């Protein structure tokens, strides 16, 4: 095996010498090595940053807007847009009329025309109308002239639309904020009015309470009237009965007065006799009054003696009490003396003396008690005499009063006699008056009957009044409750209105607020994964395509099956061609990578890894192409072209994989260019080296597999030497 490898390396060295010695072959090899950069470099450079030159893209602007009036001011959105675009150099704007714009787009002068219609501002002011109309922006991309240019123009119109929308929103915002200020003033006035209403509602509630209270009193009064009318009815009934009795009594009175008139003479004789008896009674009472006065004087003298007796008995009782106490002390002293001396206690004299002292003490106590009783009796006697004295005095006074009464009686009897005489004269008049009284009693009875009917009606009306006042009281309660709810609601309304006024008054309508209202969202881009220029994004696709085309052209220049060495064995031819292709893949990838890095200015995350992965990509493509061309020769190159086309459409180098047809999405994971593009994106843009190595491993597996397939072809040659008609002559 070692010998076979050495012979194969020898074949490779000889083939290499002959190619280097042949000037034509050498030039051809150099051109083929530079072919990928001629292919990819031009394409990448041409697509490096097309969006950075948009200021050279002609776009026509036609402003037909006539303006409109909005919120008391003139609104010219079309003019404002033109002024704004003049400051904006994102495109090569041309501000022309409608005819010029049409000629320009027909003659492929403009890539797009943008027209603002005459009613553009007018429609923009209809936002608050019942049927608002959207303002139109008419744009016409020149798709026939250049599709990408038309697509870019369409995106530009979206930006113009956003700018115009922001300007319209600013106009509405200014008007809205001005209206909010007016609303704030109105809310303040409404809040003051609500507070006044609340104050009135408080008074209404208070008045409703008073009304309810007074109506309650009215209801109670009407009930009392109802209750009081019933006794009136009963009293009227009794009054009616009394009036009937009065009428009957008036007749009896008339008869009695007639009888009294006949007895008047007898009464007059009796009055004269009464006057004589009264005179005699007066004389007797005067005599009795003088005796009562003498008795009172005697009783007063007796009362003074009884008082002196009581005073003496009092002094005697005090002395008797002292004597009794002294006798008791003497008896006690003798007992103590006898107790202290036994011989003395046995002395008969001492015993007699002790016995005598005890009796003296007992007698003294009895004397003292008797004097006490005597003193009590004397005091009772004095009190009785005082009462008797008072009674005699009151008797004398009564007799005096009686005497005065007798005298008055005598005078009255005298007047009575005179009055009886006059009474006799008036009795006839009284008899006539009693007849009138009887007639009046009849009329009174009739009036009382009418009174009874009126009271009955009054009772019914009072009952209805009581029922109505009860209902009125209930309604007054509901009125008070409603007034309370109204007060609470108005209080809350006043608070809400004042709060709304404070909030609306704090709304700012300066330029910063209006701009924020018109454009509240700020778009902030995270540039961690941003590809700065279009060329960086498309480079992996163009570079992979260039390396694949370079490998295909290389198999046209260098035969895949033969060798320049006469009699070379199949394994030697395999090893020579494989090493040659590896060498050329290294040259192609190195030249292409260096020109991209330092000629075009491609920025990568890691230069050594970029060079290494570019080599892996070129090597894999060449090993695949070698195998196909080796097995199929010229038809194999046609197969390689088909494979390249499939990879260009299905590797997701330009459009995302998800946007491809379904069969292309299924084919995508199995195409080598899919993995070369992913790996180059990782090492150029994202710096995801783990993904890069994973894709490199897949590519090397492809390369190793196709190398083995190529080896299998040569091992099947069974020792055949050089195949005629192939390759580059030495």
């Amino acid at each position: 095996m070692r010998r076979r490898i050495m012979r194969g390396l020898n074949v490779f060295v000889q083939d290499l010498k002959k190619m280097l010695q042949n000037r034509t072959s050498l030039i051809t090899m150099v051109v083929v090595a530079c072919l990928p950069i001629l292919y990819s470099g031009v394409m990448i450079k041409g697509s490096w940053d097309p969006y950075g030159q948009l200021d050279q893209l002609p776009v026509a602007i036609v402003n037909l807007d006539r303006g409109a009036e909005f919120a008391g001011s003139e609104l010219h959105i079309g003019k404002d847009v033109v002024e704004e675009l003049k400051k904006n150099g994102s495109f090569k704007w041309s501000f022309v009329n409608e005819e010029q714009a049409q000629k320009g787009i027909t003659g492929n002068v403009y890539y797009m025309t943008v027209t603002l219609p005459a009613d553009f501002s007018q429609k923009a002011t209809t936002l608050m109308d019942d049927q608002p109309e959207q303002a139109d922006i008419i744009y016409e991309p020149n798709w026939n002239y250049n599709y990408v240019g038309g697509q870019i123009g369409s995106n530009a119109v979206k930006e113009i639309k956003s700018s115009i929308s922001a300007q319209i929103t600013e106009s509405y915002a200014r008007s809205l904020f001005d209206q909010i200020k007016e609303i704030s003033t109105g809310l303040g006035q409404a809040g003051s009015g609500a507070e006044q209403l609340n104050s009135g509602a408080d008074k209404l509630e208070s008045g409703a309470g008073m009304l309810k209270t007074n109506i309650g009193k009215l209801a109670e009064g009407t009930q009392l009237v109802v209750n009081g009318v019933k006794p009136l009815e009963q009293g009227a009934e009794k009054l009616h009965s009394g009036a009937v009795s009065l009428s009957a009594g008036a007749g009896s009175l008339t008869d009695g007065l007639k009888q009294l008139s006949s007895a008047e003479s007898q009464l007059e004789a009796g009055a004269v006799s009464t006057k004589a008896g009264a005179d005699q009674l007066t004389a007797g009472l005067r005599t009795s009054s003088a005796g009562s006065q003498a008795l009172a004087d005697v009783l007063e003298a007796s009362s003074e003696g009884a008082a002196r007796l009581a005073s003496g008995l009092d002094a005697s009782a005090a002395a008797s009490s002292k004597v009794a106490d002294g006798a008791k002390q003497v008896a006690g002293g003798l007992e103590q003396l006898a107790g202290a001396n036994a011989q003395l206690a046995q002395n008969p004299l001492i015993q007699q003396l002790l016995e005598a002292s005890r009796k003296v003490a007992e007698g003294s106590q009895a004397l003292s008690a008797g004097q006490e009783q005597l003193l009590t009796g004397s005091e009772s006697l004095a009190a009785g005499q005082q009462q008797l004295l008072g009674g005699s005095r009151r008797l004398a006074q009564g007799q005096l009063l009686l005497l005065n009464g007798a005298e008055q009686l005598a005078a009255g009897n005298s007047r009575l006699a005179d009055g009886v005489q006059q009474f006799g004269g008036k009795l006839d008049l009284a008899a006539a008056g009693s007849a009138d009284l009887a007639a009046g009693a009849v009329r009174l009875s009739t009036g009382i009957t009418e009174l009874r009917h009126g009271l009955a009606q009054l009772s019914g009306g009072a009952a209805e009044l009581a029922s109505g006042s009860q209902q009125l009281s209930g309604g007054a309660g509901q009125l008070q409750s409603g007034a309370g709810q109204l007060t609470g609601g108005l209080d809350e309304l006043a608070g809400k209105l004042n709060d709304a006024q404070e909030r609306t008054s704090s709304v700012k309508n300066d330029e910063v607020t209006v701009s924020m209202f018109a454009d509240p969202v700020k778009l902030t881009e995270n540039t961690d994964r941003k590809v700065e220029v279009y060329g960086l994004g498309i480079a992996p696709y163009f570079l992979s395509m260039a390396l694949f085309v370079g490998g295909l052209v290389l198999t046209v220049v260098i035969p895949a099956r033969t060798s320049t060495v006469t009699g070379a064995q199949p394994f030697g031819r395999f090893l020579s061609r494989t090493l040659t292709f590896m060498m050329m893949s290294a040259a192609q990838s190195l030249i292409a990578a260096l020109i991209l890095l330092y000629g075009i200015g491609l920025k990568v995350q890691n230069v050594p890894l970029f060079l290494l992965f570019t080599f892996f990509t070129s090597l894999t493509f060449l090993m695949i192409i070698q195998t196909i061309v080796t097995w199929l020769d010229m038809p194999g190159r046609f197969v390689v072209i088909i494979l390249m086309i499939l990879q260009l459409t299905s590797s997701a180098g330009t459009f995302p994989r998800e946007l491809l047809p379904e069969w292309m999405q299924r084919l995508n994971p199995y195409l080598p260019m899919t993995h070369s593009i992913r790996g180059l994106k990782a090492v150029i843009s994202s710096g995801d080296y783990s993904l890069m190595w994973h894709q490199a491993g897949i590519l090397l597996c492809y390369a190793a597999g196709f190398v083995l397939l190529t080896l299998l072809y040569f091992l099947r040659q069974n020792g055949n030497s050089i195949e005629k008609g192939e390759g580059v002559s030495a």
Side-chain angles (χ1 to χ4, degrees):
M1 184 65 186
R2 182 178 179 184
R3 183 179 298 178
R4 179 178 292 182
I5 294 175
M6 293 303 296
R7 286 200 298 267
L9 291 175
N10 185 42
V11 173
F12 167 68
V13 172
Q14 292 182 25
D15 283 337
L16 184 60
K17 285 181 179 180
K18 289 182 179 181
M19 284 189 294
L20 294 176
Q21 291 172 357
N22 190 322
R23 181 177 295 179
T24 302
S25 299
L26 181 60
I27 294 173
T28 302
M29 295 294 292
V30 172
V31 172
V32 171
C34 294
L35 182 62
I37 190 58
L38 294 175
Y39 194 83
S40 64
V42 173
M43 295 183 69
I44 292 174
K45 184 61 178 178
S47 305
W48 184 252
D49 189 16
Y51 293 99
Q53 307 297 324
L54 293 180
D55 57 344
Q56 302 301 319
L57 194 69
V59 177
I61 303 295
V62 180
N63 179 25
L64 303 178
D65 183 32
R66 294 193 296 264
E69 184 177 352
F70 178 70
S73 61
E74 293 292 328
L75 187 66
H76 296 278
I77 299 178
K79 181 180 178 182
D80 295 338
V81 170
V82 170
E83 295 298 327
E84 188 67 25
L85 292 179
K86 287 180 179 180
K87 302 176 184 178
N88 183 353
S90 56
F91 288 88
K92 187 177 181 180
W93 307 109
S94 296
F95 303 97
V96 297
N97 57 37
E98 192 172 9
E99 182 180 358
Q100 292 172 334
Q102 190 62 36
K103 289 182 179 180
I105 200 168
T106 303
N108 293 330
V109 176
Y110 302 122
Y111 285 88
M112 183 179 65
T113 62
V114 179
T115 303
L116 302 178
D119 59 352
F120 188 80
S121 296
Q122 180 62 39
K123 287 186 176 180
T125 61
T126 63
L127 179 63
M128 300 300 180
D129 295 348
D130 294 336
Q131 294 181 346
E133 298 181 69
Q134 289 182 316
D136 295 327
I137 299 178
I138 303 173
Y139 72 100
E140 182 182 358
N142 196 351
W143 302 102
N144 296 331
Y145 186 27
N146 187 281
Y147 179 82
V148 176
Q151 185 68 34
I152 294 173
S154 298
N155 294 332
V157 170
K158 294 178 181 178
E159 295 181 2
I160 295 174
K161 175 181 176 294
S162 300
S163 175
I164 294 175
S165 298
Q167 293 180 17
I168 295 174
T169 307
E170 285 186 7
S171 299
Y172 279 117
R174 289 190 181 92
S175 175
L176 178 63
F177 286 141
D178 292 338
Q179 293 177 10
I180 288 176
K181 290 297 184 182
E182 295 178 2
I183 291 173
S184 175
T185 303
L187 287 174
Q189 296 174 355
S192 300
E195 290 177 353
Q196 295 176 1
L197 286 175
N198 187 29
S199 177
D202 288 335
K203 296 179 181 178
L204 174 61
E205 183 179 10
S206 177
M210 295 175 62
L211 177 62
K212 181 181 178 182
T213 301
N214 292 329
I215 290 176
K217 294 180 180 179
L218 174 62
E220 293 176 357
T222 54
Q223 188 62 41
L224 292 175
V225 169
V226 172
N227 296 334
V229 167
K230 292 180 180 179
L232 282 176
E233 290 179 341
Q234 296 174 359
E237 184 67 28
K238 294 178 180 180
L239 184 61
H240 180 263
S241 299
V244 174
S245 300
L246 176 62
S247 179
S252 301
L253 177 61
T254 302
D255 296 337
L257 287 174
K258 291 179 179 180
Q259 296 175 2
L260 184 61
S261 178
S262 62
E264 184 271 334
S265 58
Q266 298 176 1
L267 179 61
E268 184 177 358
V272 173
S273 300
T274 302
K275 180 179 179 184
D279 292 337
Q280 295 176 1
L281 177 60
T282 300
L285 286 175
R286 287 176 179 170
T287 303
S288 175
S289 176
S292 297
Q293 185 64 38
L295 177 61
D297 294 337
V298 173
L299 289 175
E300 185 175 1
S302 175
S303 175
E304 291 177 358
R308 287 193 294 273
L309 175 61
S311 176
L313 289 174
D314 187 18
S316 175
S320 297
S321 177
K322 292 179 180 180
V323 171
D325 291 338
K328 188 176 181 181
Q329 291 177 1
V330 171
L334 290 175
E335 287 179 355
Q336 292 177 359
L337 180 61
N341 192 336
Q343 291 180 356
L344 186 60
Q346 297 297 326
N347 192 333
L349 292 176
I350 294 303
Q351 292 179 353
Q352 292 177 1
L353 184 58
L354 179 59
E355 184 66 23
S357 65
R358 289 176 179 170
K359 291 180 179 180
V360 170
E362 292 174 358
S364 298
Q365 290 179 355
L367 178 60
S368 178
Q371 288 180 341
E372 288 290 340
Q373 294 176 357
L374 183 60
L375 177 61
T376 301
S378 66
E379 291 176 351
S380 299
L381 176 62
Q385 288 179 340
Q386 288 292 332
Q387 292 177 358
L388 183 59
L389 177 61
S392 65
R393 289 177 178 173
R394 286 193 294 274
L395 177 60
Q397 293 175 357
Q399 288 177 341
L400 289 175
L401 292 173
L402 186 59
L403 177 61
N404 293 332
E407 292 176 350
Q408 293 176 2
L409 178 60
N413 284 329
S414 176
R415 290 193 297 271
L416 177 60
D418 296 335
V420 167
Q421 291 178 356
Q422 294 177 2
F423 178 68
K426 298 296 184 179
L427 277 177
D428 295 334
L429 295 175
S434 65
D436 295 336
L437 176 62
V442 173
R443 291 193 298 272
L444 176 62
S445 177
T446 302
I448 289 174
T449 301
E450 295 178 357
L451 175 63
R452 288 173 59 197
H453 293 300
L455 287 174
Q457 294 177 356
L458 175 62
S459 177
E464 293 178 359
L465 179 62
S467 176
S469 61
Q470 291 290 342
Q471 296 177 0
L472 187 60
S473 177
Q478 295 178 357
L479 176 62
Q480 183 181 14
S481 176
Q485 295 177 357
L486 177 62
T487 301
L490 288 173
D491 185 47
E492 182 178 0
L493 175 62
K496 295 294 185 182
L497 288 173
N498 291 330
D499 183 60
Q501 191 271 335
E502 292 179 1
R503 291 175 179 271
T504 53
S505 63
S506 64
V507 174
K508 299 179 180 179
N509 58 349
D510 53 12
E511 290 297 327
V512 176
T513 305
V514 172
S515 299
M516 180 63 184
F517 187 86
D519 190 13
V521 179
K522 178 183 178 182
L523 186 63
T524 302
E525 181 183 4
N526 187 344
T527 59
D528 293 344
R529 297 179 178 272
K530 183 178 180 180
V531 176
E532 297 295 337
V533 293
Y534 183 75
L536 291 176
I538 204 68
Y541 176 69
F542 284 162
L543 181 57
S544 297
M545 182 171 57
L547 291 175
F548 196 90
V549 172
L552 176 60
V553 174
L554 184 61
T555 60
V556 175
V557 176
I558 300 176
R561 295 179 177 178
T562 62
S563 172
T564 59
V565 179
T566 305
Q569 296 297 317
F571 182 77
R573 285 184 280 132
F574 160 74
L575 190 58
S576 175
R577 289 308 177 220
T578 301
L579 291 176
T580 300
F581 288 146
M582 287 183 178
M583 180 188 68
M584 289 302 297
S585 66
Q588 285 182 340
S589 63
L590 181 62
I591 293 172
L594 291 177
I595 295 298
L596 289 176
L597 288 172
Y598 303 109
I600 297 178
L602 180 69
K603 301 296 182 181
V604 299
Q605 299 296 322
N606 189 300
V607 174
L609 291 180
F610 173 69
L611 296 174
L612 182 61
F613 191 85
T614 305
F615 169 67
F616 288 161
T617 301
S618 178
L619 177 64
T620 300
F621 289 167
L622 262 174
M623 294 302 100
I624 293 173
I625 296 170
Q626 179 193 9
T627 300
I628 296 174
V629 173
T630 299
W631 279 87
L632 302 177
D633 196 22
M634 288 302 294
R637 292 183 178 87
F638 179 73
V639 173
V640 171
I641 293 174
I642 294 176
L643 177 61
M644 183 181 69
I645 294 173
L646 289 175
Q647 292 188 113
L648 292 178
T649 56
S650 305
S651 60
T654 53
F655 297 103
R657 173 188 172 188
E658 290 75 13
L659 302 182
L660 299 176
E662 185 177 355
W663 67 270
M664 289 186 181
Q665 294 185 35
R666 294 179 180 177
L667 185 63
N668 175 271
Y670 306 105
L671 299 176
M673 194 176 291
T674 297
H675 303 287
S676 68
I677 292 173
R678 290 179 181 175
L680 287 171
K681 286 181 178 179
V683 74
I684 292 175
S685 302
S686 67
D688 189 352
Y689 301 126
S690 62
L691 175 62
M692 184 211 74
W693 285 113
H694 178 69
Q695 303 303 321
I698 295 175
L699 291 176
L700 291 178
C701 288
Y702 273 107
F706 279 94
V707 167
L708 292 177
L709 290 175
T710 304
L711 177 60
L712 178 61
Y713 171 82
F714 282 100
L715 292 179
R716 292 176 66 250
Q717 298 303 309
N718 296 322
N720 291 333
S721 60
I722 303 173
E723 297 184 11
K724 305 298 182 180
E726 289 186 358
V728 178
S729 62

